[in-house]
Amino acid sequence: MRAFVGALAQRGELLRVDEPVDTRFEISAWLAQLAEGPAVQFDQIAGHDTAAIGNLLNSVDRIALGLGVSRSEMQHRIVAAIEQGIAPERVAHGPCQDTVVHTPDLRREIPAPVFFAKETGPYITAGVIFARDSRTGKGNVSFARVKLLSGNRGMVGIAPNHHLAVMAREAKARGETLPIAVTVGNHPAVLIAAALYLRLGDDELECAGALLGEPVRTVACKTIGLDVPAQCEWVLEGTLDIDEQHEEVLVSEFHGMYEPYGSGPVATFHCLTRRNDALFQIIEPGYYPEHTLIGGVAIAAGLARTLRAVAVPVREVAVGHGGCGRLSAVVSLNAHRPGDARKAMFALWGSVNLIKNITIVDEDIDPWNPSQVEWAIAACMRPDRDLLIAPGVRTDRSEPIKQGGVATKLGIDATRKAGDRPDWTRAVPPPDVMHRVAQRIAASGVSVPGIADDPPLDP
């Protein structure tokens, strides 16, 4: 993460707040009001001697920068990383273990914020959790919020079908508790890999290595048999007991409202390690772009892979901030045949339960660009023909308007149809002139929305 923070500083995309800030709502207010702006580093946090940082990956372009690729290359790179990973490499020492605290008082040691008025405690929101099944040896790397309780205990916010919950139940059936390590302050590649929807036992850290182009260097934990990224900022080592539960009351969710999820399992952390000058990473939860887009970029890559596997001619899939990074997908198709749009809809609904609304567009539409997608819906979609409503489809507990575990889903075919118009040619200047002028504008230093490093495809 340090190198990425340095790159943002060089680009003028890092704001350092040197006045004291409070973990109760104040850090959250800074990140919320700068949600689409620079990364924000808090150098003085009341009651703590460590600094914190947030809003690192709050746009699709920022995520691509963190992965070292252009936005147009990013999805292909993530899909390739899923299919051809690079195994991690253990090293003897890592800066994440410069300082060691046994039986930590979590609220005293960690500058975790209280974010919103109806939440009942401070949360770790950028925690990447490592676990491994003692019987099969299969590992899991995933995101989950951790609510700091008293002493060295924390509630881990996982749904019953979360792979971590499955592993914890299997451990309990063997009379064990599940060792876990919560790491904070990871490279963007590790964060995106942790957000992928993979099969239980698939190694997300191998995907992170492929995104980096080299193995993730790991170190052995001090008190449990797990390896963690050597270059991360913080590590909490402990065990997760599925039988010990904490009533969470209300918690914010990606759609921007609160959910009453009930209780979650409790972890006991026996050891905390960190860098001497550790930066505590914070992801503003709720309906804020860093929270939605880390998940959305990862989910979109998985969906693109799903469509390729069933021979849908997909160019790119977007799961953007407007759709909460979970609920709406836009699919751009290359040269396609009648029926491909609906085939794509059914494949995506069958792949990720949370995906509710799907829009299909042609290859010249950037699925991450809401204005282009709205144009396609306005100009190319005929409601009596191009809408598909599917009632009673399974969804997940975080769907904001679920009823009985199901929701109605909507598909919109906004692709051009030959019979609708004799001529679909767009009225724009010639592509070569547009490209030449775009280069001159970029060279002048003028920032113009819509002029990017990767120009849109010619219509």
Side-chain angles (χ1 to χ4, degrees):
M1 188 184 76
R2 291 292 175 107
F4 182 55
V5 173
L8 294 180
Q10 289 185 337
R11 292 165 60 96
E13 297 179 21
L14 175 66
L15 172 67
R16 298 190 68 161
V17 179
D18 55 10
E19 64 188 66
V21 294
D22 198 324
T23 56
R24 185 172 177 83
F25 304 136
E26 194 169 3
I27 288 176
S28 179
W30 275 93
L31 296 178
Q33 294 187 77
L34 295 170
E36 298 182 14
V40 185
Q41 181 169 324
F42 304 96
D43 291 326
Q44 294 189 62
I45 300 174
H48 297 273
D49 59 2
T50 52
I53 194 165
N55 285 355
L56 288 177
L57 298 173
N58 57 359
S59 72
V60 178
D61 288 337
R62 190 81 68 77
I63 293 172
L65 177 68
L67 298 179
V69 296
S70 69
R71 197 181 78 170
S72 63
E73 298 170 327
M74 181 173 62
Q75 189 159 100
H76 176 77
R77 180 72 172 271
I78 297 172
V79 171
I82 297 171
E83 296 174 347
Q84 190 66 47
I86 298 176
E89 178 182 286
R90 181 188 280 186
V91 296
H93 305 285
C96 69
Q97 295 178 333
D98 288 344
T99 296
V100 180
V101 180
H102 293 286
T103 317
D105 184 328
L106 299 180
R107 291 196 180 196
R108 186 179 66 190
E109 297 286 345
I110 299 173
V114 178
F115 289 95
F116 307 122
K118 290 190 177 183
E119 292 183 335
T120 55
Y123 281 89
I124 296 173
T125 53
V128 173
I129 303 182
F130 289 72
R132 188 167 298 279
D133 187 280
S134 65
R135 180 180 61 85
T136 65
K138 291 182 177 180
N140 179 249
V141 183
S142 61
F143 268 108
R145 66 189 179 280
V146 179
K147 180 182 179 183
L148 303 188
L149 307 178
S150 60
N152 63 336
R153 299 164 64 252
M155 188 218 76
V156 182
I158 47 178
N161 61 338
H162 192 292
H163 288 169
L164 195 60
V166 174
M167 296 172 72
R169 285 195 297 270
E170 292 178 349
K172 178 58 66 174
R174 298 192 297 270
E176 306 169 0
T177 53
L178 181 70
I180 64 169
V182 181
T183 67
V184 180
N186 289 283
H187 189 281
V190 175
L191 298 177
I192 294 300
L196 291 169
Y197 284 20
L198 303 182
R199 297 171 300 179
L200 181 60
D202 287 349
D203 195 333
E204 289 87 357
L205 210 55
E206 291 188 2
C207 296
L211 289 173
L212 287 168
E214 60 181 347
V216 176
R217 270 68 177 184
T218 62
V219 290
C221 286
K222 296 288 186 181
T223 63
I224 56 176
L226 292 171
D227 284 11
V228 293
Q231 298 292 329
C232 72
E233 301 284 318
W234 300 72
V235 182
L236 285 170
E237 303 177 9
T239 55
L240 182 64
D241 186 349
I242 201 73
D243 281 352
E244 184 180 358
Q245 296 278 314
H246 168 79
E247 185 70 26
E248 190 172 29
V249 189
L250 293 176
V251 65
S252 59
E253 195 45 281
F254 57 78
H255 47 61
M257 297 170 283
Y258 295 97
E259 290 287 349
Y261 285 142
S263 63
V266 172
T268 302
F269 296 105
H270 310 291
C271 182
L272 179 155
T273 71
R274 63 173 176 84
R275 291 175 180 250
N276 288 332
D277 59 345
L279 269 175
F280 183 72
Q281 186 184 1
I282 299 165
I283 294 174
E284 182 79 353
Y287 183 62
Y288 291 96
E290 185 168 27
H291 182 207
T292 61
L293 288 175
I294 289 175
V297 164
I299 292 169
L303 295 178
R305 183 171 179 247
T306 294
L307 294 180
R308 291 190 179 109
V310 295
V312 172
V314 57
R315 183 178 76 82
E316 189 171 8
V317 178
V319 181
H321 175 62
C324 306
R326 309 289 189 280
L327 302 178
S328 297
V330 181
V331 180
S332 65
L333 296 181
N334 291 315
H336 52 90
R337 297 180 295 177
D340 279 343
R342 293 202 173 196
K343 181 179 180 181
M345 294 172 192
F346 289 124
L348 297 195
W349 285 328
S351 177
V352 175
N353 289 337
L354 268 175
I355 295 296
K356 179 168 59 177
N357 303 321
I358 299 172
T359 303
I360 311 296
V361 297
D362 290 298
E363 68 274 7
D364 60 311
I365 301 297
D366 178 358
W368 294 101
N369 186 317
S371 293
Q372 291 189 24
V373 174
E374 288 182 25
W375 177 89
I377 293 172
C380 306
M381 188 271 293
R382 208 176 79 189
D384 62 315
R385 178 192 62 193
D386 297 327
L387 296 181
L388 175 63
I389 297 175
V393 184
R394 181 183 169 188
T395 188
D396 283 349
R397 69 175 189 168
S398 52
E399 158 61 46
I401 54 171
K402 62 189 176 296
Q403 292 188 348
V406 300
T408 297
K409 304 201 172 185
L410 172 66
I412 302 173
D413 181 356
T415 60
R416 293 184 294 271
K417 317 301 190 296
D420 287 344
R421 285 181 59 85
D423 183 6
W424 283 99
T425 304
R426 298 285 296 275
V428 295
D432 60 329
V433 180
M434 289 283 281
H435 185 72
R436 184 169 69 249
V437 173
Q439 289 180 319
R440 294 180 64 181
I441 292 172
S444 73
V446 175
S447 177
V448 180
I451 295 182
D453 293 334
D454 302 302
L457 295 176
D458 295 333

